[in-house]
Amino acid sequence: MTRSLTRKGEATRARIVAGAATEVRERGVDEVRLEDVMARTATSKSQLFHYFPGGKEELLLAVAEHEADQVLADQQPMLGDLTSWAAWQAWRDRVISRYQEQGDTCPLNGLLGQAGRRAPAARAVLVG
């Protein structure tokens, strides 16, 4: 989104993205409807299209970016401190343990196989 938002606008947009991400994790991307996102986030259709004029595909792209950011944030501060072999091994062990714990609730799981087929922009985020 290229235009600047007010603090309230940023909060509303973030709430929509977080709510949509939860819907995707719970239902899968193919089952999520904009009405589900509106109900979860207490927003109207006009608000959704105000923040995501490209509709569902633009929202899914924002969800993919959000989930990718969450995956990277989850690995900090270790990811930013890979300065020794021991640090690499500790990071590896933490990542493996974390994703074994998450199983199919990994933030990107709902998007990896499904959104990539439908939204090339979301696939680019996931691949990156």
Side-chain angles (χ1 to χ4, degrees):
M1 176 174 269
T2 57
R3 61 192 158 138
S4 63
L5 298 173
T6 64
R7 209 176 355 221
K8 185 177 176 183
E10 288 175 3
T12 300
R13 186 180 188 282
R15 187 173 81 244
I16 293 169
V17 171
T22 300
E23 287 289 325
V24 168
R25 283 193 302 274
E26 290 177 0
R27 299 173 186 255
V29 71
D30 291 331
E31 299 300 319
V32 173
R33 300 172 309 133
L34 291 180
E35 292 79 9
D36 301 324
V37 176
M38 290 172 2
R40 181 175 290 268
T41 61
T43 52
S44 67
K45 190 171 259 187
S46 65
Q47 285 176 300
L48 282 182
F49 283 95
H50 172 74
Y51 295 107
F52 304 97
K56 187 174 180 180
E57 295 305 317
E58 187 175 343
L59 177 57
L60 289 177
L61 175 59
V63 168
E65 291 170 342
H66 169 78
E67 296 293 65
D69 289 345
Q70 297 295 23
V71 167
L72 293 175
D74 188 47
Q75 296 179 36
Q76 293 300 346
M78 296 176 89
L79 188 59
D81 189 33
L82 299 176
T83 56
S84 69
W85 185 244
W88 276 93
Q89 290 174 323
W91 169 75
R92 177 205 61 205
D93 293 344
R94 183 175 190 278
V95 167
I96 290 170
S97 174
R98 177 73 172 139
Y99 292 108
Q100 284 176 334
E101 289 170 19
Q102 288 181 337
D104 64 357
T105 62
C106 167
L108 293 178
N109 183 55
L111 292 164
L112 276 172
Q114 299 169 0
R117 290 192 305 264
R118 293 184 31 194
R123 181 169 172 73
V125 171
L126 296 171
V127 169

